[in-house]
Amino acid sequence: MQIHSAIADLRAALKNRGRVVFVPTMGNLHAGHISLMEQARAHGNTVVASIFVNRLQFGPNEDFDKYPRTFADDCAKLAAAGVDVLFAPTEADLYPEPQEYTVEPPAIQNILDGEFRPGHFRGVATVVLKLFNIVQPQAAVFGKKDYQQLMVIRNMTRQLALPIAIVGGETVRAEDGLALSSRNGYLSAAERAEAPHLYRLLNDIRAAIRSGRTDYAVLENEAISGLTVAGWKTDYVAVRQQSDLAMPKGVNAPLVVLAASRLGNTRLIDNIEI
Ligand code: PAF
């Protein structure tokens, strides 16, 4: 696997490489990321990963400084997964001057996670567009665990007519159902044992909706109460339309249940499509 940190070196390495498929990450890779790398292989002949902890998408009181950085381990995992090229820029490589031109996503950036993480999706869209411009892939893979992020990137790619196919990768879960996430490493043993509760509640809501319930607000509040009793502090549990993350309107619109909640200092997000 080739590793490049300078933009010019990466561009030179990607000349005449055929169809490039790109998987951006912030490192601290787990089986969920590796599954995205494996899915990427089906969409191109050169798989490019990136590792960059993007300061722009973290709020002032968020975990940018303590975000786990495990570069040597990550490189070994990517090489074992058959990734061809790793782009691992430093902050000076990617942001040699303050990033004053940014991508401003529309109203979707202010709902759900955006309501609780102001500016987050601006930071994500800005770095992803910049990475797209650097790597110039024909396809890119993003995990469905970050459902709203995937939608922001899909919509940005379509509206800005970027010639990139956006592929959504399924969430990978531990045996007890917990969605794999770099932030799971922050959990204490007791919190880790409690953490799958979130996914169980999402499943309960899905089962209730499948059995015909449409009182979504009641279902959301029941789940929030269940989490609160178990010691969680919940930002949202929300039943939304898959197409635009708006509140359900039609009877037959495909739905998704999304949640973000904190166990101790760790904020976990998850979702389940119906
Ligand atoms: O999902 C992530 O890891 C990040 O938000 C991304 C897409 C790599 C942008 O920094």
Side-chain angles (χ1 to χ4, degrees):
M1 180 176 75
Q2 291 186 28
I3 303 177
H4 298 287
S5 62
I7 294 174
D9 293 347
L10 180 84
R11 285 200 167 128
L14 292 182
K15 283 226 165 81
N16 307 318
R17 283 289 205 136
R19 192 175 158 85
V20 170
V21 52
F22 178 43
V23 189
T25 80
M26 298 204 299
N28 194 235
L29 305 179
H30 49 66
H33 294 110
I34 299 309
S35 137
L36 299 182
M37 306 297 157
E38 288 162 0
Q39 290 174 59
R41 179 63 60 202
H43 297 274
N45 39 17
T46 297
V47 176
V48 179
S50 67
I51 295 179
F52 181 69
V53 184
N54 173 38
R55 185 185 290 278
L56 294 187
Q57 69 190 72
F58 288 80
N61 300 318
E62 293 186 352
D63 55 344
F64 175 77
D65 289 328
K66 76 164 187 175
Y67 200 84
R69 287 148 170 98
T70 50
F71 189 67
D73 268 14
D74 292 346
C75 288
K77 288 177 184 167
L78 292 174
V83 168
D84 299 293
V85 179
L86 170 61
F87 179 45
T90 63
E91 282 209 284
D93 288 312
L94 210 60
Y95 299 134
E97 54 185 311
Q99 187 70 33
E100 292 169 340
Y101 286 78
T102 57
V103 179
E104 196 66 37
I108 191 175
Q109 74 161 323
N110 299 320
I111 61 168
L112 301 170
D113 246 44
E115 182 185 340
F116 295 91
R117 304 187 68 189
H120 171 67
F121 290 112
R122 179 190 310 121
V124 169
T126 301
V127 79
V128 169
L129 181 60
K130 190 157 186 173
L131 290 168
F132 281 175
N133 283 331
I134 293 166
V135 176
Q136 303 198 3
Q138 278 71 51
V141 186
F142 294 84
K144 280 193 188 177
K145 177 171 166 290
D146 295 297
Y147 206 87
Q148 191 173 1
Q149 165 174 287
L150 174 60
M151 187 164 292
V152 166
I153 291 165
R154 251 192 223 295
N155 292 352
M156 172 183 82
T157 302
R158 189 185 65 251
Q159 288 209 353
L160 297 181
L162 306 178
I164 303 170
I166 303 297
V167 178
E170 292 305 324
T171 301
V172 177
R173 299 182 181 278
E175 269 185 19
D176 58 10
L178 178 66
L180 298 191
S181 160
S182 301
R183 292 189 169 98
N184 292 351
Y186 299 153
L187 298 168
S188 68
E191 289 165 349
R192 174 64 189 80
E194 168 60 20
H197 192 172
L198 186 63
Y199 183 55
R200 285 200 299 274
L201 286 175
L202 296 183
N203 269 293
D204 291 347
I205 296 179
R206 175 162 75 178
I209 293 173
R210 281 185 171 160
S211 75
R213 280 182 66 175
T214 53
D215 50 345
Y216 305 126
V218 174
L219 291 171
E220 292 165 2
N221 287 329
E222 283 171 2
I224 292 170
S225 302
L227 290 168
T228 306
V229 167
W232 297 68
K233 291 196 170 56
T234 302
D235 286 347
Y236 60 86
V237 174
V239 180
R240 296 297 171 98
Q241 301 190 146
Q242 282 181 27
S243 58
D244 56 3
L245 298 185
M247 307 250 186
K249 289 178 207 96
V251 267
N252 290 324
L255 302 178
V256 55
V257 193
L258 307 103
S261 192
R262 262 171 229 282
L263 257 186
N265 292 324
T266 308
R267 185 172 187 275
L268 299 178
I269 63 170
D270 204 349
N271 64 77
I272 193 168
E273 289 178 318
I274 301 181

